[in-house]
Amino acid sequence: MDRLMRKVGMSGKSTLPLVSGMACAVPAILSTRGIENWKDRIITIMVTPLMSCSARLPVYALLISFIVPDEKFLGFMNLKGLVMMGLYLLGWAMALLAAFVMKLIIKAKEKSYYLMELPIYRKPRWGNVGITMIEKAKVFVTDAGKVIITISIILWFLASFGPGNSIEVIEEKYASMQPTESITQTDLNNQLQAEKLAASFAGRIGHFIEPAIKPLGFDWKIGIALITSFAAREVFVGTMSTIYSVGSTEDVDFEAIRERMRNEIDPETGEHVYSAATAFSLMIFFAFAMQCMSTVAVVKRETKSWKWPSIQILYLTGLAYLSSLIVYQWMK
């Protein structure tokens, strides 16, 4: 792979982190420590989040099952599977393209050569292995953990509290309601959580950013899910479940979410909110956006600066926005 990677500003040693990024970007970025050249390592770190990690799978599964018909392509290939594979290949292609652009922008005097010295192989000393694991875990928890906990507290506050006494008013409203034959206590609890989320600071922010995300085909409800999913990409599905009052984040009913999404009507236009254009726009957004605070934390830890994670958030968000805009405007 070194010959191919060299053309786009990385090296053969970048292959393992990129492949690992298809599982999770955090250990993938940690594995870039094996790349000696500074420029190769920075470029690898910057493009690794473009690889479709396992956290994106629930989002892809929900949207693909919602919009892609269960048909065969060429008589033997499942169309849903082809779309899923296409998203993975798109991540690879965009990672290589982004790396090539960064190769032209990032300057370094150090030359890069692919040299690998094979070590002397010995039986491991398990005591040393255990101590190393504990020390590395401590470093991650104390350094990256600070950023993760801080962002988690902020997201929890935004989703749990609202301006004034808006949350208390909703709780008092539902406190007087009793379950009936048609509405169970679980339904009331789900509706309570949905209204509290809509009235929270996160809900207000969702309404505030709606004009900016409207050209992508997103409404304020998707805006809330985008905000909360910064904790982790898969939180998007749980948030949509709460918004549409179909269950908690621990017990997500995909079929119920799909049904509510299918019946959602835009009050302004009278059209369905979730069209094929919206679904594909959302998938493209999640394929490119930096929707993971753990990745931000580990990039800051590895680069020892907020410069590179800040640049990473800006360029990935811009790339996701522009790509989703093109897809939605082309398909609608």
Side-chain angles (χ1 to χ4, degrees), residues 154-168 170 192-208 220 224-225 227-228 239 242-243:
I154 293 173
L155 290 174
W156 166 80
F157 177 82
L158 292 176
S160 302
F161 297 92
N165 63 341
S166 56
I167 302 297
E168 289 78 5
I170 295 173
L192 169 63
Q193 294 303 322
E195 286 197 28
K196 287 172 64 176
L197 182 60
S200 67
F201 287 112
R204 302 301 174 94
I205 295 173
H207 281 287
F208 178 75
W220 66 272
I224 295 177
I227 294 167
T228 57
T239 303
T242 300
I243 290 173

Side-chain angles (χ1 to χ4, degrees), residues 218-276:
F218 306 162
D219 62 359
W220 66 272
K221 295 179 180 179
I222 298 178
I224 295 177
L226 293 179
I227 294 167
T228 57
S229 63
F230 187 68
R233 295 177 179 95
E234 65 270 25
V235 174
F236 174 86
V237 178
T239 303
M240 297 301 288
S241 173
T242 300
I243 290 173
Y244 288 109
S245 308
V246 293
S248 66
T249 56
E250 290 81 14
D251 184 20
V252 177
D253 187 344
F254 269 49
E255 185 57 41
I257 299 175
R258 286 196 295 267
E259 191 61 30
R260 293 293 180 90
M261 291 169 64
R262 192 173 287 112
N263 297 329
E264 183 76 0
I265 301 295
D266 189 335
E268 296 181 4
T269 63
E271 299 177 353
H272 287 280
V273 172
Y274 294 95
S275 60

Side-chain angles (χ1 to χ4, degrees), residues 56-67:
R56 290 179 170 106
L57 281 175
V59 182
Y60 291 166
L62 174 64
L63 296 173
I64 289 174
S65 63
F66 170 72
I67 205 66

Side-chain angles (χ1 to χ4, degrees), residues 134-320:
I134 293 172
E135 290 301 318
K136 297 300 181 184
K138 283 182 179 179
V139 169
F140 179 80
V141 171
T142 55
D143 289 3
K146 294 175 185 176
V147 180
I148 294 172
I149 290 176
T150 301
I151 298 175
S152 296
I153 291 173
I154 293 173
L155 290 174
W156 166 80
F157 177 82
L158 292 176
S160 302
F161 297 92
N165 63 341
S166 56
I167 302 297
E168 289 78 5
V169 170
I170 295 173
E171 289 178 341
E172 290 176 2
K173 168 187 169 184
Y174 278 88
S176 59
M177 290 185 178
Q178 297 297 327
T180 63
E181 293 182 2
S182 58
I183 302 178
T184 65
Q185 186 62 49
T186 300
D187 294 332
L188 289 176
N189 292 336
N190 290 338
Q191 292 174 14
L192 169 63
Q193 294 303 322
E195 286 197 28
K196 287 172 64 176
L197 182 60
S200 67
F201 287 112
R204 302 301 174 94
I205 295 173
H207 281 287
F208 178 75
I209 66 173
E210 187 175 28
I213 61 177
K214 196 72 174 179
L216 310 183
F218 306 162
D219 62 359
W220 66 272
K221 295 179 180 179
I222 298 178
I224 295 177
L226 293 179
I227 294 167
T228 57
S229 63
F230 187 68
R233 295 177 179 95
E234 65 270 25
V235 174
F236 174 86
V237 178
T239 303
M240 297 301 288
S241 173
T242 300
I243 290 173
Y244 288 109
S245 308
V246 293
S248 66
T249 56
E250 290 81 14
D251 184 20
V252 177
D253 187 344
F254 269 49
E255 185 57 41
I257 299 175
R258 286 196 295 267
E259 191 61 30
R260 293 293 180 90
M261 291 169 64
R262 192 173 287 112
N263 297 329
E264 183 76 0
I265 301 295
D266 189 335
E268 296 181 4
T269 63
E271 299 177 353
H272 287 280
V273 172
Y274 294 95
S275 60
T278 301
F280 278 102
S281 174
L282 194 52
M283 281 190 282
I284 294 298
F285 188 90
F286 268 90
F288 295 154
M290 186 73 163
Q291 294 291 108
C292 181
M293 65 179 181
S294 299
T295 304
V296 175
V298 81
V299 171
K300 191 267 179 183
R301 167 73 181 82
E302 291 302 298
T303 60
K304 297 179 174 60
S305 168
W306 277 108
K307 171 187 174 182
W308 295 108
S310 300
I311 294 173
Q312 196 173 44
I313 292 172
L314 288 174
Y315 104 82
L316 287 174
T317 303
L319 176 63

